[in-house]
Amino acid sequence: MKSLWIDRRSDPVPTDPLPTDGFESGARYDAVIVGAGLTGLTTALLLARAGRTVAVLEARSVGAVTTGHSTAKLSLLHGGVLSGIRSRGSSRVLAAYVEANREGQAWMLRYLEDHGVDVQRRDAITYAGTAEGVERLDAEYEASHAADLDVERIHGLDLPFETHGALRLRDQAQFDPMDVLRTLAADVRAHGGAIVEGARVNDVETGEPSRVSTSLGEVLADVVVLATGIPILDRGLYFAKVRASRSYAQAYRVSGELPQEMYLSIDAPTRSLRTAPVGDERLLLVGGNGHTVGRETDTRRLVDDLEQWTHRHFPGAERTHAWSAQDYESMNLVPFVGWMPRTGHHVTLATGYNKWGMTNGVAAALSMTADILGGSIPWAKTLHHRITLPQDVAHGVAANAQVAGRLASGWVSSNVHSLPDAPPAEGEGVVGAYDKEPTAVSTVDGTTCRLSAVCTHLGGIVTWNGAERTWDCPLHGSRFDSAGRLLEGPAVDDLERLDSDDAVG
Ligand SMILES: Cc1cc2nc3c(=O)[nH]c(=O)nc-3n(C[C@H](O)[C@H](O)[C@H](O)COP(=O)(O)OP(=O)(O)OC[C@H]3O[C@@H](n4cnc5c(N)ncnc54)[C@H](O)[C@@H]3O)c2cc1C
């Protein structure tokens, strides 16, 4: 499912052409940045501006994963995040979180203004969709004021459904995230940086220099920046400290008045609303229905539910786009940013933005760049050297117990059920035992593919995502297309292909 942002561009984001014979072996850079989303390109630009030689290696294409599928509100009003951080007890961490995002937002607004990129200024509104949500709204109001954010309470929104009070933060912003990536990518290249698409990094052997193995060959780097959404190397076990959460978004042509601002419900079911200018018209974007990747049995139902909700409240709305994407939630709501353990300050990483990466991603880029260049940012020190609190450990233990349960139940159920004799119907996928091995079979566009159902990251059993027609791992969020090719997540290898015939049984 293609996002509005990716679909509306017929011309690809400019990148360096791949050398026909792969990388010149041993090409050496001051910094190799892995991943060309918002975090990777911002970091690359900051380093290139500081005179460092940089190469951005992107497994797919610029913006292909989360940034190009974001709803892209550049806001400091983060749903219920501030009260969540405050409830963990540290006012210093809360203040530093807001400061980091404020700097991230300010940097981006300045940058986009300097480069003439279209940005729409809008108020950000968090509302309670239920009476139960009001208490959470109150807590968020208190936390916002404790962190010096000028949030107001308001009533009576211009929305066509019932709400129970709201918070407003004036003069925030929204944009087309592919406009932003396109501008950053051109700027990186203008500063001498290289951007190479289709280069999947498989491993990093740290040293001086570090050796970065990619699907195209090897490069050398003094520093490696993992801006891959979730880190691909398992040192530091970050995959076990974040939860992969997938959400749905849709764009609509609506006749009549559109809501003016940017909205997010603080309670379930989550609903996110904003508009997007496209040519002469304005589309309505609706998002929500998030869930842990790989743990929802019927993802098509979630797409339909969002569509029915939109038609109920915006009668006659005509859907133009539907897509989904995932981001990573850290257990204490604060991103993990900084040097990866046991890499001798050769590898740095950023993850865990909780679906607020437009500001957190820029803040991470500022923080990692300061680390690499030998600078020091007070908010970054507070955020990234924080201690893990007992409740976060408990939360992590519970989350990892769920992962262990999923691992076991996936293997049991894939061994108990044998594969049906007939291939799955078009758009369907099924997991079962074949030759005593967990096997995933799907039919997409008339082609039936049989794959190992064992995720190449840590051995979870993948589940079928009917909305995206992909195989998704319920442990740490790796995803693969119906032919087993890796799409995203901490895995670095494709699913094993068992065959590809048009009749299975
Ligand atoms: C539905 C949804 C809505 C959202 N809305 C908002 C919002 O309104 N406001 C907001 O602030 N945030 C929002 N977010 C969050 C925000 O979009 C993300 O936090 C942000 O885009 C993450 O950027 P990134 O650069 O870290 O990751 P990505 O954009 O995912 O970039 C990572 C890149 O790394 C590449 N990569 C991965 N592994 C490798 C490898 N081994 N080798 C080479 N390359 C690799 C990937 O292909 C990818 O291109 C939303 C998220 C979702 C899911």
Side-chain angles (χ1 to χ4, degrees), residues 394-436:
H395 188 99
V397 168
N400 285 305
Q402 280 181 21
V403 165
R406 278 281 163 173
L407 179 63
S409 66
W411 276 84
V412 169
S413 104
S414 64
N415 275 321
V416 167
H417 300 104
S418 46
L419 284 174
D421 291 337
E426 176 61 32
E428 301 294 340
V430 60
V431 171
Y434 185 81
D435 268 357
K436 298 195 179 143

Coordinates of all heavy atoms in Angstrom, one line a residue, residues 394-436:
A394 N 10.6 -3.8 34.8 CA 9.4 -4.7 34.9 C 8.6 -4.7 33.6 O 8.2 -5.8 33.1 CB 8.5 -4.2 36.1
H395 N 8.5 -3.6 33.0 CA 7.8 -3.5 31.7 C 8.5 -4.3 30.7 O 7.9 -5.0 29.9 CB 7.8 -2.0 31.4 CG 7.0 -1.7 30.2 ND1 5.7 -1.2 30.3 CD2 7.2 -1.8 28.8 CE1 5.2 -1.0 29.1 NE2 6.1 -1.4 28.2
G396 N 9.9 -4.2 30.7 CA 10.7 -4.9 29.7 C 10.6 -6.4 29.9 O 10.5 -7.2 29.0
V397 N 10.6 -6.8 31.2 CA 10.5 -8.2 31.5 C 9.1 -8.8 31.0 O 9.1 -9.8 30.3 CB 10.6 -8.5 33.0 CG1 10.2 -9.9 33.4 CG2 12.1 -8.2 33.4
A398 N 8.1 -8.0 31.2 CA 6.7 -8.4 30.8 C 6.7 -8.5 29.2 O 6.2 -9.5 28.7 CB 5.7 -7.4 31.3
A399 N 7.3 -7.5 28.6 CA 7.3 -7.5 27.1 C 8.0 -8.7 26.6 O 7.6 -9.3 25.6 CB 7.8 -6.2 26.6
N400 N 9.2 -8.9 27.2 CA 10.0 -10.0 26.7 C 9.4 -11.4 27.1 O 9.6 -12.4 26.3 CB 11.4 -9.9 27.2 CG 12.1 -8.8 26.4 OD1 12.2 -8.9 25.2 ND2 12.6 -7.8 27.1
A401 N 8.6 -11.5 28.1 CA 7.9 -12.7 28.4 C 6.9 -13.0 27.3 O 6.7 -14.1 26.8 CB 7.2 -12.6 29.8
Q402 N 6.2 -11.9 26.9 CA 5.2 -12.0 25.8 C 5.9 -12.5 24.5 O 5.4 -13.3 23.8 CB 4.6 -10.7 25.5 CG 3.5 -10.3 26.4 CD 2.8 -9.0 26.0 OE1 3.0 -8.5 24.9 NE2 2.2 -8.4 27.0
V403 N 7.1 -11.9 24.3 CA 7.9 -12.4 23.1 C 8.2 -13.8 23.2 O 8.1 -14.6 22.2 CB 9.2 -11.5 23.0 CG1 10.2 -12.1 22.0 CG2 8.8 -10.1 22.5
A404 N 8.7 -14.3 24.4 CA 9.0 -15.7 24.6 C 7.8 -16.6 24.3 O 7.8 -17.6 23.7 CB 9.6 -15.9 26.0
G405 N 6.6 -16.1 24.8 CA 5.4 -16.8 24.7 C 5.0 -16.9 23.2 O 4.7 -18.0 22.7
R406 N 5.2 -15.9 22.5 CA 4.9 -15.9 21.0 C 5.9 -16.8 20.3 O 5.5 -17.5 19.3 CB 5.2 -14.4 20.5 CG 4.1 -13.6 20.7 CD 3.0 -13.8 19.6 NE 1.8 -13.3 20.0 CZ 0.7 -13.2 19.3 NH1 0.7 -13.8 18.0 NH2 -0.4 -12.7 19.7
L407 N 7.1 -16.8 20.7 CA 8.1 -17.7 20.1 C 7.7 -19.1 20.2 O 7.6 -19.9 19.2 CB 9.5 -17.5 20.7 CG 10.6 -18.3 20.2 CD1 10.9 -18.0 18.7 CD2 11.9 -18.1 21.0
A408 N 7.3 -19.5 21.5 CA 6.9 -20.9 21.7 C 5.6 -21.2 21.0 O 5.5 -22.2 20.3 CB 6.8 -21.1 23.2
S409 N 4.6 -20.3 21.1 CA 3.3 -20.7 20.6 C 3.4 -20.7 19.0 O 2.7 -21.6 18.4 CB 2.2 -19.7 21.0 OG 2.5 -18.5 20.5
G410 N 4.2 -19.9 18.4 CA 4.4 -19.9 17.0 C 4.9 -21.3 16.5 O 4.4 -21.8 15.6
W411 N 5.9 -21.8 17.2 CA 6.5 -23.1 16.8 C 5.5 -24.2 17.0 O 5.4 -25.1 16.2 CB 7.8 -23.3 17.6 CG 9.0 -22.6 16.9 CD1 9.4 -21.3 17.1 CD2 9.8 -23.2 16.0 NE1 10.4 -21.1 16.3 CE2 10.8 -22.2 15.6 CE3 10.0 -24.5 15.4 CZ2 11.8 -22.4 14.7 CZ3 11.0 -24.7 14.4 CH2 11.9 -23.6 14.1
V412 N 4.8 -24.1 18.2 CA 3.9 -25.2 18.5 C 2.8 -25.2 17.4 O 2.5 -26.3 16.8 CB 3.2 -25.1 19.9 CG1 2.1 -26.0 20.1 CG2 4.3 -25.3 21.0
S413 N 2.2 -24.1 17.2 CA 1.0 -24.1 16.3 C 1.4 -24.4 14.8 O 0.7 -25.1 14.1 CB 0.2 -22.8 16.4 OG 0.4 -22.0 15.4
S414 N 2.7 -24.0 14.4 CA 3.1 -24.3 13.1 C 3.4 -25.7 12.9 O 3.3 -26.3 11.8 CB 4.3 -23.4 12.7 OG 5.4 -23.8 13.5
N415 N 3.7 -26.4 14.0 CA 3.9 -27.9 13.9 C 2.7 -28.7 14.0 O 2.6 -29.8 13.5 CB 4.9 -28.3 15.0 CG 6.4 -28.1 14.5 OD1 6.6 -28.3 13.3 ND2 7.2 -27.6 15.3
V416 N 1.7 -28.1 14.7 CA 0.4 -28.9 14.9 C -0.4 -28.9 13.6 O -1.0 -29.9 13.2 CB -0.4 -28.2 16.1 CG1 -1.8 -28.8 16.1 CG2 0.3 -28.5 17.4
H417 N -0.4 -27.7 12.9 CA -1.2 -27.6 11.7 C -0.4 -28.0 10.5 O 0.7 -27.4 10.3 CB -1.7 -26.2 11.6 CG -2.6 -25.8 12.8 ND1 -2.1 -24.9 13.7 CD2 -3.8 -26.1 13.1 CE1 -3.1 -24.7 14.6 NE2 -4.1 -25.5 14.3
S418 N -0.9 -28.9 9.7 CA -0.2 -29.2 8.5 C -0.8 -28.2 7.4 O -1.9 -27.7 7.6 CB -0.3 -30.6 8.1 OG -1.6 -31.0 8.2
L419 N 0.0 -28.0 6.4 CA -0.5 -27.1 5.3 C -1.6 -27.7 4.6 O -1.7 -28.9 4.3 CB 0.7 -26.9 4.3 CG 1.8 -26.0 4.8 CD1 2.9 -25.9 3.8 CD2 1.3 -24.5 5.0
P420 N -2.6 -26.9 4.2 CA -3.7 -27.4 3.4 C -3.2 -27.9 2.0 O -2.1 -27.5 1.6 CB -4.6 -26.2 3.2 CG -3.8 -25.0 3.5 CD -2.7 -25.5 4.4
D421 N -4.0 -28.8 1.4 CA -3.6 -29.4 0.1 C -3.5 -28.3 -1.0 O -2.6 -28.3 -1.8 CB -4.5 -30.5 -0.3 CG -4.3 -31.7 0.6 OD1 -3.2 -31.8 1.3 OD2 -5.3 -32.5 0.8
A422 N -4.6 -27.5 -1.0 CA -4.7 -26.5 -2.1 C -3.9 -25.2 -1.7 O -3.7 -24.9 -0.5 CB -6.1 -26.1 -2.2
P423 N -3.3 -24.5 -2.7 CA -2.7 -23.3 -2.4 C -3.6 -22.3 -1.8 O -4.8 -22.3 -2.1 CB -2.1 -22.8 -3.8 CG -2.8 -23.6 -4.8 CD -3.4 -24.8 -4.2
P424 N -3.2 -21.3 -1.1 CA -4.1 -20.3 -0.5 C -4.7 -19.5 -1.6 O -4.2 -19.4 -2.7 CB -3.1 -19.4 0.3 CG -1.9 -20.1 0.5 CD -1.8 -21.1 -0.7
A425 N -5.9 -19.0 -1.3 CA -6.6 -18.1 -2.3 C -5.8 -16.8 -2.5 O -4.9 -16.5 -1.7 CB -8.0 -17.7 -1.8
E426 N -6.1 -16.1 -3.6 CA -5.3 -14.9 -3.9 C -5.4 -13.9 -2.7 O -6.4 -13.7 -2.1 CB -6.0 -14.2 -5.1 CG -5.4 -12.8 -5.5 CD -4.0 -12.9 -5.9 OE1 -3.5 -13.9 -6.4 OE2 -3.3 -11.9 -5.6
G427 N -4.2 -13.4 -2.3 CA -4.1 -12.5 -1.2 C -4.0 -13.1 0.2 O -4.0 -12.4 1.2
E428 N -4.0 -14.4 0.2 CA -4.0 -15.1 1.5 C -2.7 -15.8 1.7 O -1.9 -16.1 0.8 CB -5.1 -16.2 1.5 CG -6.5 -15.7 1.3 CD -7.0 -14.8 2.5 OE1 -6.4 -14.8 3.6 OE2 -7.9 -14.0 2.2
G429 N -2.4 -16.0 3.0 CA -1.2 -16.7 3.4 C -1.5 -17.6 4.6 O -2.3 -17.3 5.4
V430 N -0.7 -18.8 4.7 CA -1.0 -19.7 5.7 C 0.3 -20.3 6.2 O 1.3 -20.5 5.4 CB -2.0 -20.8 5.3 CG1 -1.5 -21.6 4.1 CG2 -2.4 -21.8 6.4
V431 N 0.4 -20.6 7.5 CA 1.6 -21.2 8.0 C 1.3 -22.6 8.5 O 0.2 -22.8 9.2 CB 2.2 -20.4 9.2 CG1 3.3 -21.1 9.9 CG2 2.7 -19.1 8.7
G432 N 2.1 -23.6 8.2 CA 1.9 -24.9 8.7 C 3.1 -25.8 8.6 O 4.1 -25.3 8.1
A433 N 3.0 -27.0 9.0 CA 4.2 -27.9 8.9 C 4.3 -28.5 7.5 O 3.3 -29.0 7.0 CB 4.1 -29.0 10.0
Y434 N 5.5 -28.5 7.0 CA 5.7 -29.2 5.7 C 7.1 -29.9 5.9 O 8.1 -29.2 6.2 CB 5.7 -28.2 4.5 CG 5.8 -28.9 3.2 CD1 4.7 -29.4 2.6 CD2 7.1 -29.0 2.5 CE1 4.8 -30.0 1.3 CE2 7.2 -29.6 1.3 CZ 6.1 -30.1 0.7 OH 6.2 -30.7 -0.5
D435 N 7.1 -31.2 5.7 CA 8.4 -31.9 6.0 C 8.9 -31.6 7.4 O 10.0 -31.4 7.6 CB 9.4 -31.5 5.0 CG 9.5 -32.5 3.8 OD1 8.7 -33.4 3.8 OD2 10.3 -32.2 2.9
K436 N 7.9 -31.4 8.3 CA 8.2 -31.2 9.7 C 8.8 -29.8 10.0 O 9.3 -29.5 11.1 CB 9.1 -32.2 10.3 CG 8.5 -33.6 10.3 CD 9.3 -34.6 11.2 CE 8.6 -35.9 11.2 NZ 9.5 -37.0 11.3

